[in-house]
Every structure is written in C-alpha cells, then in structure tokens.
C-alpha cells in the first residue's frame, strides 16, 4: 500500500474544512467519540447539520473565528491507499502556512465556490502550487447544490480556470463538480449531476499515480551524520548516515563527494542494520566508502552520471514569509538539507503579481507573502539541482540571522 | 519501477530515522523522552536503526510521576538495560517536595499537570536543547497542528500562532539559548501504523497492553480505572474484575482500561482495525476536561 499526501486549498468560505470532514466522515474515519464531540459543538451552528469543519480547526482561535490559521494534518485510509491531508489556510496572511503544507504534497485540491468562480485566492494558491511543482491538481467546484447542479455554471468555471492553467503551465489537472456539504461526487457518483462523466473525488484520490516523479537516475545522498562507534571490535567502523533523496546507489559504484569533487567507491551499504547490495530514495541508509577521505555533514555523495550543480551564485524564486522586508544586500542563513551557510541577496529581478501573473520590475523591497525572483551569493559552495528537474534537491530555506525564524522558501532555478 | 518503491510503513520509518539523525546533528544536548509506552518504545527502535552500531547520541529520559503501572517501570528498566543505553529518571514527587507544590485532590487526582514542571526542570538541569517525543498528529486535534520541529520558549511554551514554516523536509533547529525544540519523528504515524510496526519488528511490550484480569472501579462515564493506592475508592463505588488491556499507557490515575481478549500483537492489530473509538477518547481521562485541554497543556510546556 502507498501513501498519497495532498493539500486542500481555496478561499476562506469555499468549504475546505467541510470537504475534509466529509471525506473523513464518508470513509468512516471519524470515530464515534470524535463525532459525539463535534455534534456537541455543532448545535448552535446550523439546524440539525453537524459542522464537519470543527474536525480540522483544532485551535481555540480557529474555532472562535471560524477560520483556519495553521496547517492541520489529518490521516485516513481506504482499502486502496493511505492518505495524509494537509488542510491549509485560505487567508492571505497565512500563506506561509499554506506553503508549508504544499511543499510535501503529491496532489493539490483547489476548491472553487460555484457561485463565485475563480477568485484572487484561487490564483494565488494556483501559483504556489505551480511553483512548488505539485504533480497533480484536482479542481473541485464546490457548492453545486447552491447553483442547482447546473452544468452551464460548471462549464464556465472550468473554462475560466483553464486560462489560469495555461498561464501557469499546470500539466496534470482534473475537474470535478461536488457538494462537500451534501456529499455529492465525494465518495459516490452524484445522482444530481448525470451530465458529469468523470469519477467522484475519492475515486480520483485513490487512483492517481503516486511517486510519479520518483527519480532513479540522479543519485543524491546528503550526509547527515557520521557513525563512528570507536569501540575495540568496531575500531575502523566509519559509516555515513543519511537519506537518499533521489536515485539509486549500488555497492561498487564510483561516486563523487560534492562539493569537494573527490572520487571514491561505495564499499558497503547498510539499511536496517544489515548489508544490502543497493539502496534507493527515500531510504535512510548508512554508506561506507573505500577511501579514507574527508566527508562530513553537509557533503553530498553523488553519482558520476548526472552530476549536480556546484555553485555560490544561485538564482531562485523566493516565497517571502517574514514581516521584516527583504532588500538587496540583506544577509541570511541558507539551509539546503544538511548544509548550512550564509548568503546575501544580490539582486531582485522581479516580483510576481499573484493576481495578474505579471513580473514587476524595479522592486526595492519584498514584503510578507510576496513571491519574487532573486539572485543570492553564498559564503560556501552549494550542491544543488534545479527544482524543476529534481524537486528533492532544488529546495532550500532562508533563516533570519538573529531571530532564527524561517523567513523564505527558495525554489532553485 | 516497483522494485524501487517503499511500502508506506517503510516510508514512515525512513522519514523518522531521517528526523532522528537531524536531531543528533543539529543539537548539542538532545534527549529522548521514554515512558515505556508503545510510542516511545517505537522511537527507541527507530533510534537503533538510525545510530547502530554506534551508541545513541542522547540519553533516554523518563519523567516519573510515581503513579505509573509497576509493570511499565519494570519493563522500562529491563528494556533500557537490554539495549545498553543510558536512562535518566526524574521524579514528580521530588518537584512537589522541593517546590512545595499543591497536589490536585479528588477521586482520580492526576499528576499529569505537575509532570510539566518536572520536565521543564529536567530540561534546565541537563541543558537539553532538543527533546524527542512520541506524540502523533492523529491523536488529538491540537497535536494535528504541530510541526515536526516545535520550538518552545524558555518557559517551554508552544505558540501555535507563530510556528515556523516547515518546508519540504528541511528542518530549522536554530534556537536561542534557553529555548528548546520538541521533535516528533512519528508525527505522521497513526495508532494502527505504530501497532503494525511493532508487529512487523516484533518489539517486546509491557504486559499491560495485553489482555489480563484486573480489579477496576467502574466510573460514572463507564470507564474502567484500575484499583490502586493512587485513586480514592468510596464505599459507593462498584469494584469489578474484568478481562482488560490498556490501549495507551499513562498514569494509573488518568488511564482507563478497555475490555479485551486480545492477548497477542496480532489480536491487538485486529482489534484496532475495527475499533470505532479513538485511543485518547477511550482511555484518557485527562483529555475530557475541556474542548481545548490538550492545547492549553501544550501552551504550558506539555508535549
């Protein structure tokens, strides 16, 4: 069995939390005591209807305001698959939390209110989904019950969204008309919309390919930790512990240590405390090398073929997440998996207008929730790939040097 | 292609090992909080996978309320000895005495709240900068909001409105002096995942997880609380002997038993699969205080 991680994105009242509640409820993942607690709280909401949104709004402040502030993770499974849902906030001020949820997802559900059509937030969320290269997008046109299950309304929104899709170059995309509140086209096909020929939402989630972007050609192994027991019987044991982020490594492979460029051979690979002939992503393993060379945390062991880029000048799309603005000349800590160094912002090429998708030039400072393209210079060489080519080695974060808060999501070009 | 794909449990395992190693590398004085419950036992197995044949780069720490099941404590000591690692135990009893604290009174008076003080004192005593814990997001709705690396201020407080963004699997463990990070490697595991893993790995567990006969008080909420010196038994109480097991292991005062015939791990996995009640809902008396009981405790420094 495999896991599908997905996010739900949409505007404030598009019914995200209700959709998740519906999925959990209809797949029988809400347990009796949880349901009882929801029913107790729902009484003053609507007559007789239980408020499924209560399930995901786990914080007091969220329940008070009726909004989602931070990502809630929910888990459910069917006979076919396990699902991890990241329920992300719709409000613009919590965009950074949406990026947090989106960065690890295989699929995104974008909810659109059938009465309102494509909104500013739909565009903003779509742009983030496209930047983060989430492989699949499922556009769920919700509240169909409030537009009399009209095919015409649905068709118009599909057309409207297709322009967004083209502008953003979103590739694998599906549309489904639903009513999260009433349960139409969620688990079973709706009788109300015989004109819809596709499958219900859960069926799509169960069948969309997972790990379709798994890479078996670009071996990358960032060293996290060196295991050296230094006991009598394990005197010479020196194992490099880490997780293979992409590709395959085999015993006997000639590999390069990046960024130093030294070359050596894999002597042994261990996983589960036993030796294996080969290992692949995303396995956590221990690698032994033939030569006694300098390798430590922050180094990456890579295949001879398809080498990464080793550079101190990095062009990146940046999602800015701090209330303190970013300017040319600002310095930060950059963390790329196990490697950390300092960096300085050299140039702001443009800011992306998330509504018009226009690239705005001559921008002096970047504000909270802005998306921009920048060039940075790092204090030490970095071992990276373009995010578009290799999602697992193309992301990095910026950390404020004094507050230590994560302030930027870097998508390396 | 399928040759190069991991099963879901292997994926979760690999992620947890990766997180453990990040903790070892990013912090100077980490610790692993070990209670002898199934979740922290799972953490220990994952630590073995992450660091063997080396020793763990952190001690195991138990905050002992004094209200534990004796079976758990026995298991704890034996298990730690069998894996050859260091265990630090600090007692809530000592905190109560040294700080002249008031113990909660009442029928099932629990030291669960006081535990936080001992934990914070222990963190200060050893200057721990990271504590690995076995909390899972599926347990409770405030926990569903947690990051993998959860930064706490010098009072141990969680501020859910100001959590750091956590992107891809890049974990930012940079903190100021006095702050600490709580790390949850099995955040993405469900209760069933933990049991399936214990089954797959054949991990030994304390006996109270398996079906046994026990004298219990039947509470007004129809929960079965073990008869012990730590609870107040009134004449009007009904005491019954039932065939039970524990689905979670907390204190004797705040954990309820469930009626069960499950005497092997296989039986338990079967039982969990068809259960229609959540583990905390079925067994935890402390969560029932209010809608935000867990959120409030976490803000105060609890896990």
């Amino acid at each position: 069995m495999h896991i599908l991680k997905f996010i739900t994105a949409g505007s404030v009242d598009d019914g995200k939390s209700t959709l998740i509640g519906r999925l959990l409820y209809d797949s029988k993942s809400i347990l009796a005591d949880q349901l009882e607690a929801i029913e107790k709280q729902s009484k003053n909401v609507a007559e007789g209807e239980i408020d499924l949104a209560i399930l995901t709004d786990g914080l007091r402040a969220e329940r008070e305001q009726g909004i989602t502030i931070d990502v809630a993770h929910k888990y459910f499974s069917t006979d076919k698959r396990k699902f991890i849902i990241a329920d992300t906030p719709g409000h613009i001020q919590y965009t950074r939390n949406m990026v947090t949820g989106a960065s690890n997802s295989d699929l995104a559900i974008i909810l659109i209110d059938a009465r309102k059509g494509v909104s500013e937030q739909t565009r903003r969320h779509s742009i983030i989904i496209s930047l983060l290269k989430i492989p699949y997008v499922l556009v769920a046109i919700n509240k169909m019950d409030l537009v009399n299950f009209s095919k015409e309304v649905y068709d118009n929104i599909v057309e409207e969204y297709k322009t967004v899709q083209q502008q953003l170059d979103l590739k694998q995309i599906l549309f489904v008309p639903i009513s999260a509140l009433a349960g139409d086209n969620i688990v079973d096909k709706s009788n109300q919309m015989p004109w819809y020929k596709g499958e219900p939402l859960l069926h799509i989630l169960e069948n969309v390919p997972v790990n379709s972007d798994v890479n078996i050609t670009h071996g990358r192994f960032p060293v996290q930790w060196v295991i050296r027991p230094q006991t009598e019987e394990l005197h010479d044991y020196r194992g490099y512990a880490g997780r293979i982020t992409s590709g395959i490594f085999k015993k006997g492979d000639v590999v390069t240590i990046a960024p130093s460029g030294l070359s050596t051979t894999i002597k042994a690979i261990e996983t589960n405390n036993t030796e294996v002939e080969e290992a692949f992503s995303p396995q956590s393993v221990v690698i032994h090398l033939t030569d006694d060379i300098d390798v430590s945390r922050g180094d990456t062991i890579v295949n001879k073929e398809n080498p990464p880029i080793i550079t101190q000048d990095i062009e990146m799309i940046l999602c800015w997440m701090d209330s303190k603005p970013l300017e040319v000349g600002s310095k930060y800590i950059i963390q790329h998996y196990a490697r950390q160094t300092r960096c300085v912002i050299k140039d702001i090429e443009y800011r992306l207008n998330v509504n018009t998708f226009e690239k705005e030039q001559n921008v002096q400072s970047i504000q909270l929730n802005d998306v921009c393209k920048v060039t940075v210079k790092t204090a030490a060489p970095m071992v990276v790939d373009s995010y578009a080519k290799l999602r697992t080695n193309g992301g990095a974060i910026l950390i404020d040097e004094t507050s230590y808060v994560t302030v930027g999501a870097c998508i390396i070009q | 292609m399928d040759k190069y794909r991991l099963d879901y449990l292997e994926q979760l395992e690999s992620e947890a090992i990766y997180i453990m190693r990040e903790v070892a590398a990013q912090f100077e004085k980490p610790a692993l909080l070990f209670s002898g419950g199934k979740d922290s036992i799972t953490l220990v197995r994952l630590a073995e996978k992450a660091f063997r044949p080396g020793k763990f780069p952190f001690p195991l720490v138990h905050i002992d309320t004094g209200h534990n099941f004796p079976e758990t404590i026995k298991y704890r000591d034996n298990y730690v000895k069998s894996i050859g690692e260091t265990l630090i135990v600090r007692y809530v009893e000592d905190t109560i005495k040294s700080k002249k604290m008031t113990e909660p009174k009442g029928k099932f008076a629990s030291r669960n709240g006081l535990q936080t003080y001992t934990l914070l004192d222990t963190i200060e005593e050893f200057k721990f900068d990271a504590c690995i814990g076995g909390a899972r997001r599926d347990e409770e709705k405030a926990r569903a909001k947690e990051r993998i690396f959860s930064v706490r201020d010098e009072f141990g407080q969680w501020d859910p409105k100001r959590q750091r963004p956590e992107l891809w699997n890049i974990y930012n463990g940079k903190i100021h002096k006095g702050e600490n990070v709580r790390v949850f490697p099995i955040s993405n595991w469900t209760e069933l995942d933990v049991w399936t893993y214990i089954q797959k790995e054949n991990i030994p567990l304390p006996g109270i997880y398996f079906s046994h006969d026990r004298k219990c008080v039947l509470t007004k909420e129809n929960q079965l609380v073990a008869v012990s010196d730590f609870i107040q038994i009134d004449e009007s109480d009904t005491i019954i002997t039932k065939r039970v097991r524990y689905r979670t292991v907390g204190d004797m005062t705040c954990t309820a038993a469930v009626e069960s015939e499950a005497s092997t791990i296989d039986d338990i996995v079967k039982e969990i699969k068809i259960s229609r009640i959540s583990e905390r809902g079925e067994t935890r008396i402390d969560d029932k205080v209010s809608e935000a009981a867990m959120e409030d405790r976490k803000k105060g420094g609890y896990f």
Side-chain angles (χ1 to χ4, degrees), chain B residues 27-72:
Chain B
F27 297 93
E28 281 174 21
K29 276 228 71 187
L32 187 151
L33 296 179
F34 182 70
S35 66
K38 67 181 191 313
D39 299 309
S40 60
I41 292 168
T42 299
L43 288 181
V44 170
R45 174 55 55 96
L46 292 164
E48 291 183 289
K49 299 213 177 193
F51 304 110
R52 292 287 185 250
K55 288 206 109 185
F56 294 177
F58 38 69
L60 308 183
V61 172
H62 184 215
I63 305 302
D64 190 334
T65 57
H67 289 175
N68 294 289
F69 289 90
E71 295 93 328
T72 314

Coordinates of all heavy atoms in Angstrom, one line a residue, chain B residues 27-72:
Chain B
F27 N 21.7 19.5 17.2 CA 21.7 19.9 18.6 C 22.9 19.4 19.4 O 23.5 18.4 19.1 CB 20.4 19.5 19.3 CG 19.2 20.1 18.6 CD1 18.5 19.4 17.6 CD2 18.7 21.3 18.9 CE1 17.4 20.0 16.9 CE2 17.6 21.9 18.3 CZ 17.0 21.2 17.3
E28 N 23.2 20.2 20.5 CA 24.3 19.8 21.3 C 23.9 18.8 22.4 O 24.7 17.9 22.8 CB 24.9 21.1 22.0 CG 25.8 21.8 21.0 CD 26.3 23.1 21.5 OE1 26.3 23.3 22.7 OE2 26.7 23.9 20.6
K29 N 22.7 19.0 23.0 CA 22.3 18.1 24.1 C 20.9 17.6 23.9 O 19.9 18.1 24.6 CB 22.4 18.8 25.4 CG 23.8 18.8 26.0 CD 24.0 18.3 27.4 CE 23.8 17.0 27.8 NZ 23.9 16.9 29.3
P30 N 20.7 16.7 23.0 CA 19.3 16.2 22.8 C 19.0 15.1 23.9 O 19.9 14.6 24.5 CB 19.3 15.6 21.4 CG 20.7 15.5 21.0 CD 21.6 16.2 22.0
A31 N 17.7 14.8 24.0 CA 17.3 13.7 24.8 C 16.1 13.0 24.2 O 15.4 13.6 23.3 CB 16.9 14.2 26.2
L32 N 15.9 11.8 24.5 CA 14.7 11.1 24.0 C 13.8 10.8 25.2 O 14.2 10.1 26.2 CB 15.1 9.8 23.3 CG 14.0 9.1 22.5 CD1 14.5 8.3 21.3 CD2 13.2 8.1 23.4
L33 N 12.6 11.3 25.2 CA 11.6 11.1 26.3 C 11.0 9.7 26.2 O 10.4 9.4 25.2 CB 10.6 12.2 26.3 CG 11.1 13.6 26.5 CD1 10.0 14.6 26.5 CD2 11.9 13.7 27.8
F34 N 11.3 8.9 27.2 CA 10.9 7.5 27.2 C 10.0 7.2 28.4 O 10.4 7.3 29.5 CB 12.2 6.6 27.2 CG 11.9 5.2 27.1 CD1 11.5 4.6 25.9 CD2 12.1 4.3 28.2 CE1 11.2 3.2 25.8 CE2 11.9 3.0 28.1 CZ 11.5 2.4 26.9
S35 N 8.8 6.8 28.1 CA 7.8 6.5 29.2 C 7.6 5.0 29.3 O 7.0 4.6 30.3 CB 6.5 7.2 28.9 OG 5.9 6.6 27.7
G36 N 8.0 4.2 28.4 CA 7.7 2.8 28.4 C 6.4 2.5 27.8 O 5.8 1.4 27.8
G37 N 5.8 3.5 27.1 CA 4.6 3.3 26.3 C 4.9 2.9 24.9 O 6.1 3.1 24.5
K38 N 3.9 2.5 24.1 CA 4.2 1.9 22.8 C 4.9 2.9 21.9 O 5.7 2.6 21.0 CB 3.0 1.4 22.2 CG 1.9 2.4 21.9 CD 0.7 1.9 21.3 CE -0.2 3.0 20.7 NZ -0.4 4.2 21.6
D39 N 4.5 4.2 22.0 CA 5.0 5.2 21.1 C 6.5 5.5 21.3 O 7.3 5.6 20.4 CB 4.2 6.5 21.1 CG 2.7 6.3 20.7 OD1 2.5 5.6 19.7 OD2 1.9 6.6 21.5
S40 N 6.9 5.6 22.6 CA 8.3 5.9 22.9 C 9.1 4.6 22.7 O 10.3 4.7 22.3 CB 8.5 6.5 24.2 OG 8.0 5.7 25.3
I41 N 8.5 3.4 22.8 CA 9.2 2.2 22.5 C 9.5 2.1 21.0 O 10.6 1.7 20.6 CB 8.4 0.9 23.0 CG1 8.3 0.9 24.5 CG2 9.0 -0.3 22.5 CD1 7.3 -0.1 25.1
T42 N 8.6 2.6 20.2 CA 8.8 2.6 18.8 C 9.9 3.6 18.5 O 10.8 3.3 17.6 CB 7.5 3.1 18.1 OG1 6.5 2.1 18.4 CG2 7.7 3.2 16.6
L43 N 10.0 4.7 19.2 CA 11.1 5.7 19.0 C 12.4 5.0 19.2 O 13.4 5.3 18.5 CB 10.9 6.9 19.9 CG 9.8 7.9 19.6 CD1 9.9 9.0 20.6 CD2 9.9 8.5 18.2
V44 N 12.5 4.2 20.3 CA 13.8 3.6 20.6 C 14.2 2.6 19.5 O 15.4 2.6 19.1 CB 13.7 2.9 22.0 CG1 14.9 2.0 22.2 CG2 13.5 3.9 23.1
R45 N 13.2 1.9 19.0 CA 13.6 1.0 17.9 C 14.1 1.8 16.7 O 15.1 1.5 16.0 CB 12.4 0.2 17.5 CG 12.6 -0.7 16.2 CD 13.8 -1.7 16.3 NE 13.8 -2.5 17.4 CZ 13.4 -3.8 17.5 NH1 12.9 -4.3 16.4 NH2 13.5 -4.5 18.6
L46 N 13.5 3.0 16.4 CA 13.9 3.8 15.3 C 15.3 4.4 15.5 O 16.1 4.5 14.6 CB 12.9 4.9 15.1 CG 11.5 4.4 14.5 CD1 10.4 5.5 14.7 CD2 11.6 4.1 13.1
A47 N 15.6 4.7 16.8 CA 16.9 5.2 17.2 C 18.0 4.2 16.9 O 19.1 4.4 16.5 CB 16.9 5.7 18.6
E48 N 17.6 2.9 17.2 CA 18.6 1.8 17.0 C 18.9 1.7 15.5 O 20.0 1.6 15.0 CB 18.0 0.5 17.4 CG 17.9 0.4 18.9 CD 17.4 -1.0 19.4 OE1 16.2 -1.3 19.2 OE2 18.2 -1.8 19.9
K49 N 17.8 1.9 14.7 CA 18.0 1.9 13.2 C 18.8 3.1 12.7 O 19.5 3.0 11.7 CB 16.7 1.8 12.5 CG 15.9 0.6 12.9 CD 15.1 0.1 11.7 CE 14.4 -1.2 12.2 NZ 13.8 -1.9 11.0
A50 N 18.7 4.2 13.4 CA 19.4 5.4 13.0 C 20.8 5.4 13.4 O 21.7 6.0 12.7 CB 18.7 6.6 13.5
F51 N 21.2 4.8 14.5 CA 22.5 5.0 15.0 C 23.4 3.8 15.3 O 24.6 3.9 15.5 CB 22.4 5.8 16.3 CG 21.7 7.1 16.2 CD1 20.5 7.3 16.8 CD2 22.3 8.2 15.4 CE1 19.8 8.5 16.6 CE2 21.6 9.4 15.3 CZ 20.4 9.5 15.8
R52 N 22.8 2.6 15.2 CA 23.6 1.4 15.4 C 24.6 1.2 14.2 O 24.2 1.6 13.1 CB 22.7 0.2 15.5 CG 21.9 0.2 16.8 CD 22.8 -0.1 18.1 NE 22.0 -0.2 19.3 CZ 22.0 0.7 20.3 NH1 22.8 1.7 20.2 NH2 21.3 0.5 21.3
P53 N 25.8 0.7 14.4 CA 26.3 0.1 15.6 C 26.8 1.1 16.7 O 27.4 0.6 17.7 CB 27.4 -0.8 15.1 CG 27.9 -0.1 13.9 CD 26.8 0.6 13.3
G54 N 26.6 2.3 16.5 CA 27.1 3.3 17.5 C 26.1 3.4 18.6 O 25.0 2.7 18.6
K55 N 26.4 4.1 19.7 CA 25.5 4.3 20.8 C 24.6 5.5 20.4 O 24.9 6.3 19.5 CB 26.3 4.7 22.0 CG 27.0 3.5 22.6 CD 27.2 3.7 24.1 CE 26.3 2.7 24.9 NZ 26.3 2.8 26.3
F56 N 23.5 5.6 21.1 CA 22.6 6.7 20.9 C 23.3 8.0 21.2 O 24.0 8.1 22.3 CB 21.3 6.6 21.7 CG 20.4 5.5 21.4 CD1 19.2 5.3 22.1 CD2 20.6 4.6 20.3 CE1 18.4 4.3 21.9 CE2 19.8 3.6 20.0 CZ 18.6 3.4 20.8
P57 N 23.2 9.0 20.4 CA 23.8 10.3 20.8 C 23.0 11.1 21.8 O 23.1 12.3 21.9 CB 23.9 11.0 19.4 CG 22.9 10.4 18.6 CD 22.6 9.1 19.1
F58 N 22.1 10.4 22.5 CA 21.3 11.1 23.5 C 20.9 10.1 24.6 O 20.8 8.9 24.3 CB 20.1 11.7 22.9 CG 19.4 10.9 21.9 CD1 18.8 9.7 22.1 CD2 19.4 11.4 20.5 CE1 18.2 9.0 21.1 CE2 18.8 10.6 19.5 CZ 18.2 9.5 19.8
P59 N 20.7 10.6 25.8 CA 20.1 9.6 26.8 C 18.6 9.5 26.7 O 18.0 10.3 26.0 CB 20.4 10.4 28.1 CG 20.4 11.8 27.8 CD 20.9 11.9 26.3
L60 N 18.1 8.5 27.3 CA 16.6 8.3 27.4 C 16.2 9.0 28.7 O 17.0 8.9 29.7 CB 16.2 6.9 27.5 CG 16.7 6.0 26.3 CD1 16.2 4.6 26.5 CD2 16.4 6.6 25.0
V61 N 15.1 9.8 28.7 CA 14.7 10.5 29.9 C 13.3 10.1 30.3 O 12.4 10.1 29.4 CB 14.8 12.0 29.7 CG1 14.2 12.8 30.9 CG2 16.3 12.4 29.5
H62 N 13.1 9.7 31.5 CA 11.7 9.5 31.9 C 11.3 10.4 33.1 O 12.0 10.5 34.1 CB 11.6 8.0 32.4 CG 10.1 7.6 32.8 ND1 9.8 6.8 33.8 CD2 9.0 8.1 32.2 CE1 8.5 6.7 33.8 NE2 7.9 7.4 32.9
I63 N 10.2 11.1 32.9 CA 9.6 11.9 33.9 C 8.6 11.0 34.7 O 7.5 10.7 34.2 CB 8.9 13.2 33.4 CG1 9.9 13.9 32.5 CG2 8.4 14.0 34.5 CD1 11.2 14.4 33.2
D64 N 9.0 10.6 35.8 CA 8.2 9.6 36.6 C 7.3 10.2 37.5 O 7.7 10.9 38.5 CB 9.2 8.7 37.3 CG 8.6 7.4 37.9 OD1 7.4 7.5 38.2 OD2 9.3 6.4 38.1
T65 N 6.0 10.0 37.3 CA 5.0 10.7 38.2 C 4.9 9.9 39.5 O 4.3 10.5 40.4 CB 3.6 10.7 37.5 OG1 3.3 9.3 37.2 CG2 3.6 11.5 36.3
G66 N 5.4 8.7 39.6 CA 5.2 7.9 40.8 C 3.8 7.2 40.7 O 3.5 6.4 41.6
H67 N 3.0 7.5 39.7 CA 1.7 6.8 39.6 C 1.7 5.9 38.4 O 0.6 5.6 37.9 CB 0.6 7.9 39.4 CG 0.4 8.7 40.6 ND1 -0.5 9.8 40.6 CD2 0.8 8.6 41.8 CE1 -0.6 10.3 41.8 NE2 0.2 9.6 42.6
N68 N 2.9 5.4 38.0 CA 2.9 4.5 36.8 C 2.5 3.1 37.2 O 2.4 2.7 38.4 CB 4.4 4.4 36.3 CG 4.8 5.7 35.8 OD1 4.4 6.1 34.7 ND2 5.7 6.4 36.5
F69 N 2.1 2.4 36.2 CA 1.9 0.9 36.4 C 3.2 0.3 36.7 O 4.2 0.5 36.0 CB 1.3 0.3 35.1 CG -0.1 0.8 34.8 CD1 -0.4 1.9 34.1 CD2 -1.2 0.1 35.3 CE1 -1.6 2.3 33.8 CE2 -2.5 0.5 35.1 CZ -2.7 1.6 34.3
P70 N 3.3 -0.5 37.8 CA 4.5 -1.2 38.1 C 5.1 -2.0 37.0 O 6.3 -2.0 36.8 CB 4.2 -2.1 39.3 CG 2.7 -1.9 39.6 CD 2.2 -0.8 38.7
E71 N 4.2 -2.6 36.2 CA 4.7 -3.4 35.0 C 5.5 -2.5 34.0 O 6.4 -3.0 33.4 CB 3.5 -4.0 34.3 CG 2.7 -5.0 35.0 CD 1.5 -4.3 35.7 OE1 1.6 -3.2 36.2 OE2 0.4 -5.0 35.9
T72 N 5.1 -1.3 33.9 CA 5.7 -0.4 32.9 C 7.2 0.0 33.4 O 8.1 0.0 32.6 CB 4.9 0.9 32.8 OG1 3.6 0.6 32.6 CG2 5.4 1.7 31.6

